[in-house]
Amino acid sequence: MATVWSGCSTSFSQELPPRGRRGGEGTRIRPWNESRSRRGTRHAEAVSTVVVAPRVCVCRAAPCVIEPDVAGKEEAGVGAWGMDDELPGADGSDGPRRHGLRRRPVRSAAAEKGPVGARSAASASGAESKSEVGGSRLHFLEERDEELLSKRLIKLGQSNKVRSATELFDSMRASGLQPSAHACNSLLASLLRKCCFADAMKIFEFMKGKGMATGHTYTLILKAVASNEGYFAAMKMFNEIEENDESNKNVDVIVYNTMISACGRAKDWAQVERLWRRLAENSLSGTLMTYDLLVSTFVQCGQSELAIDAYEEMLQRGLDPSEDIMKAIIASCTKEGKWEFALTTFRRMLSAGMKPSIIVFNSIINSLGKAGEDELAFRMYHLLASSGLKPDQYTWSALLSALYRSGRCWDVLDLFQGIKAKHSSLLNNHLYNIALMSCERLGQWEHALQLLWMMEKDGLQISAVSYNHVIGACEVARQPKIALNVYQRMTHQRCSPDTFTHLSVIRACIWGSLWNEVEDILEEVAPDSSIYNTVIHGLCLRGKIRLARKTYTKMRSIGLKPDGKTRSFMLQHIATDY
């Protein structure tokens, strides 16, 4: 049944019809007795006469009345009804139980079509503004203490009793009482938790009109607008709040955090950056949450430089970054090649007592490897092993890449053999390709063929990149026939060769004087300027001028444009002939 707002046991009648007594003075009524046990002299002393005007709702226990035009639709739903459907006694008393506020359900549509036209108009106007919480009824409040009523409103909001809280809020407003800002925020939060967005907006407009909106109010409503109407609508509302001098005073860093989070979820890093700059312009200092949102948003959007800038600003303000922030910064430093900054951040993690994960170690090793700091990379690997973590595929890939970038190709092959012996289950295409790259640079075509055979034996899907490295190793070792065999094996395995494949095998055939094979490859490949230019360059360098002119004529006939070096070769040999 109804919740007792005022704390008093108050029952009230809905509407008292005028009587003929005493003309237009109104009607004298006697309130119901509190209990049958309180009859007699105590009853005689307690009874008092109240004079009311027609069509006015009366509260027996409090001197407050509400006019029908204020009550609206809710007036029709107010009446005398016992708690737990207990009817009043025959003598007008409340019966043996005296609880809180009594009311009865709203009248049916047939009952509303009474002789009084004003009541029908009020019901019609009330129907136009339906509430998402099922309608709100006004209650006569005996309690007039705004602070006490606000506390009760806060408890109702915290308990998610949305309808009861809304009725108390409306009753306070109708009685000329104003809830506190804290109470309104509690009601606003409960409405949003119940997804009553329209009712929440009405509460927000009331608070804004009364100048009661606080930073928490803006945080709640902006988050709700972003969820229901999108972050762009929330951003528009936020700009309007900032432009208003009165409301701008209540905008704090938490409100900014709300907007940064909303824009970050939409991956609008440019808007996030603008909010970050405006935060400083308004002389507000970011919190740890602010920088956490900034760094994570910039990293997710690929803005590594902005992420590092936000991290440095956080350190300047004396804030201790969280583990997630430092992980994101290390990843950004790896992408930007700032291995020293990444190493400094890693040391900060260790100093703070954090235990880096395998992902952090891999990022540091990868960053050091890209910078050619292979010794530091292996020190980091030993630290990884001593911390109880097991290296994975990314760890070995970073270590092999570090050795390769440092020119230690033989060490790459040695380390690869060690991985195969102890961690063969971790071998993948990428690790094989790093070893094949080393074979290509060293001209170790036999070793490259062995690795290629191992890949086929392990059931790995061999890509064109792997074949290109093997053909490249044959080219460096001046093994054109082996290169041609690998090329034929590649096409037999239905692996489509790319431009790099054709360039490598053509160069190998030219230096091996396999002219017919060169012409066959030119017939197979699609017209490509880079391939024809390479063939002409090689033929001219090998003294095959007639074949070079033939290839040049064919190149121009199919609409391909020669590069400057090709033109230079042709002009040079034409001048020599004359």
Side-chain angles (χ1 to χ4, degrees):
M1 292 300 295
T3 305
V4 181
W5 312 135
S6 60
C8 65
S9 301
T10 304
S11 300
F12 51 88
S13 61
Q14 178 189 5
E15 181 179 334
L16 300 177
R19 296 183 181 180
R21 294 175 55 189
R22 303 200 180 190
E25 293 181 4
T27 303
R28 291 185 180 274
I29 62 171
R30 291 180 179 272
W32 293 336
N33 296 338
E34 296 182 358
S35 173
R36 294 179 180 176
S37 61
R38 298 185 180 179
R39 297 178 183 176
T41 57
R42 292 181 58 187
H43 169 64
E45 295 175 356
V47 171
S48 60
T49 302
V50 182
V51 179
V52 297
R55 292 190 50 75
V56 174
C57 300
V58 181
C59 173
R60 294 187 304 105
C64 60
V65 297
I66 299 180
E67 296 294 341
D69 57 347
V70 177
K73 181 180 177 181
E74 287 78 7
E75 178 196 357
V78 177
W81 201 259
M83 190 66 119
D84 300 328
D85 295 338
E86 177 190 358
L87 295 173
D91 57 351
S93 66
D94 288 348
R97 293 180 297 175
R98 183 169 183 266
H99 299 284
L101 186 65
R102 269 79 168 175
R103 69 182 180 190
R104 65 186 177 190
V106 181
R107 291 188 177 187
S108 62
E112 291 297 326
K113 297 180 181 179
V116 184
R119 179 178 303 175
S120 300
S123 300
S125 63
E128 294 177 359
S129 58
K130 275 193 174 182
S131 171
E132 294 179 340
V133 294
S136 176
R137 301 178 180 181
L138 296 182
H139 302 273
F140 291 174
L141 305 175
E142 175 185 4
E143 182 62 63
R144 310 296 293 179
D145 189 343
E146 293 180 347
E147 182 179 358
L148 181 58
L149 293 174
S150 296
K151 289 181 178 179
R152 293 175 181 173
L153 182 57
I154 292 172
K155 291 182 179 180
L156 290 172
Q158 292 174 346
S159 303
N160 286 333
K161 297 180 179 179
V162 176
R163 179 165 183 169
S164 300
T166 304
E167 291 180 356
L168 175 56
F169 175 81
D170 292 340
S171 300
M172 289 183 67
R173 289 182 57 189
S175 301
L177 304 175
Q178 181 166 306
S180 64
H182 188 189
C184 292
N185 285 338
S186 179
L187 174 59
L188 181 64
S190 64
L191 288 170
L192 293 176
R193 285 193 295 269
K194 293 292 186 178
C195 300
C196 302
F197 180 70
D199 290 331
M201 288 300 298
K202 294 177 183 178
I203 301 297
F204 172 70
E205 293 298 333
F206 165 77
M207 297 180 68
K208 188 170 65 172
K210 295 290 186 179
M212 300 169 56
T214 63
H216 185 53
T217 309
Y218 295 131
T219 298
L220 291 172
I221 205 65
L222 287 172
K223 184 178 179 180
V225 171
S227 300
N228 288 271
E229 300 179 0
Y231 85 101
F232 189 78
M235 196 67 211
K236 182 179 179 181
M237 176 182 287
F238 178 76
N239 292 333
E240 294 175 354
I241 293 172
E242 275 199 325
E243 292 173 359
N244 191 325
D245 294 335
E246 293 297 328
S247 59
N248 190 26
K249 297 177 182 179
N250 296 320
V251 176
D252 54 14
V253 66
I254 301 179
V255 180
Y256 275 94
N257 290 347
T258 302
M259 292 309 305
I260 291 174
S261 177
C263 297
R265 284 195 296 269
K267 299 296 186 292
D268 191 349
W269 65 268
Q271 193 65 258
V272 171
E273 183 185 5
R274 282 192 287 269
L275 289 168
W276 177 27
R277 306 305 180 192
R278 285 159 64 176
L279 186 68
E281 292 173 0
N282 293 330
S283 302
L284 294 174
S285 299
T287 62
L288 183 60
M289 177 59 68
T290 307
Y291 292 105
D292 195 354
L293 292 170
L294 290 173
V295 171
S296 61
T297 300
F298 291 144
V299 170
Q300 291 174 10
C301 296
Q303 303 298 318
S304 301
E305 293 184 359
L306 289 175
I308 295 174
D309 291 342
Y311 176 75
E312 290 179 336
E313 181 179 302
M314 178 178 59
L315 296 180
Q316 292 173 1
R317 296 186 180 277
L319 297 175
D320 294 328
S322 63
E323 184 176 356
D324 292 335
I325 292 180
M326 287 191 278
K327 288 179 181 178
I329 290 300
I330 291 175
S332 300
C333 292
T334 302
K335 185 177 181 179
E336 295 296 324
K338 298 183 177 181
W339 64 272
E340 294 179 344
F341 197 86
L343 199 57
T344 302
T345 306
F346 180 79
R347 290 169 180 165
R348 181 183 291 272
M349 290 184 67
L350 296 179
S351 301
M354 301 177 185
K355 186 178 181 180
S357 63
I358 186 66
I359 298 176
V360 175
F361 276 106
N362 291 342
S363 297
I364 294 292
I365 295 173
N366 191 19
S367 178
L368 294 172
K370 288 182 178 180
E373 299 290 337
D374 52 293
E375 293 185 1
L376 287 176
F378 274 89
R379 289 182 185 178
M380 194 62 59
Y381 163 72
H382 293 306
L383 181 61
L384 179 152
S386 63
S387 62
L389 297 174
K390 294 183 179 180
D392 57 10
Q393 294 175 340
Y394 298 99
T395 310
W396 297 121
S397 175
L399 291 172
L400 289 172
S401 299
L403 292 173
Y404 179 79
R405 288 190 176 94
S406 300
R408 299 169 58 180
C409 295
W410 287 111
D411 292 333
V412 171
L413 298 178
D414 291 340
L415 179 59
F416 181 84
Q417 291 298 328
I419 298 172
K420 179 173 174 51
K422 297 181 180 179
H423 310 282
S424 58
S425 60
L426 298 178
L427 291 178
N428 56 15
N429 288 58
H430 187 64
L431 298 181
Y432 270 105
N433 286 338
I434 297 175
L436 289 173
M437 287 166 59
S438 300
C439 292
E440 180 181 3
R441 181 176 290 186
L442 295 172
Q444 292 292 313
W445 63 274
E446 293 179 342
H447 200 159
L449 287 176
Q450 184 180 8
L451 291 175
L452 188 65
W453 176 79
M454 290 168 57
M455 292 180 69
E456 292 183 353
K457 182 181 178 181
D458 293 341
L460 297 176
Q461 186 69 30
I462 305 176
S463 64
V465 176
S466 301
Y467 282 109
N468 291 347
H469 291 316
V470 178
I471 295 173
C474 296
E475 178 189 353
V476 173
R478 296 291 192 268
Q479 296 291 332
K481 293 184 178 180
I482 303 299
L484 194 60
N485 290 335
V486 174
Y487 173 74
Q488 293 172 352
R489 173 70 176 178
M490 177 181 182
T491 56
H492 180 72
Q493 294 293 329
R494 297 182 179 180
C495 180
S496 300
D498 55 18
T499 301
F500 298 102
T501 310
H502 293 131
L503 290 175
S504 183
V505 72
I506 285 174
R507 286 193 299 262
C509 291
I510 288 174
W511 290 108
S513 302
L514 303 178
W515 313 117
N516 295 331
E517 286 76 2
V518 171
E519 292 183 357
D520 293 340
I521 294 174
L522 283 178
E523 293 294 333
E524 295 175 0
V525 301
D528 191 328
S529 297
S530 60
I531 294 177
Y532 275 87
N533 286 327
T534 301
V535 172
I536 294 171
H537 299 168
L539 293 174
C540 291
L541 292 173
R542 295 299 306 274
K544 295 294 181 178
I545 306 302
R546 183 177 298 178
L547 187 56
R549 287 177 181 174
K550 179 182 177 181
T551 306
Y552 180 78
T553 302
K554 182 180 179 181
M555 177 182 183
R556 297 303 300 268
S557 65
I558 59 179
L560 298 178
K561 293 183 179 181
D563 59 10
K565 190 174 181 180
T566 302
R567 292 193 186 97
S568 177
F569 274 121
M570 291 294 99
L571 291 174
Q572 179 182 356
H573 290 293
I574 290 174
T576 303
D577 292 342
Y578 287 100

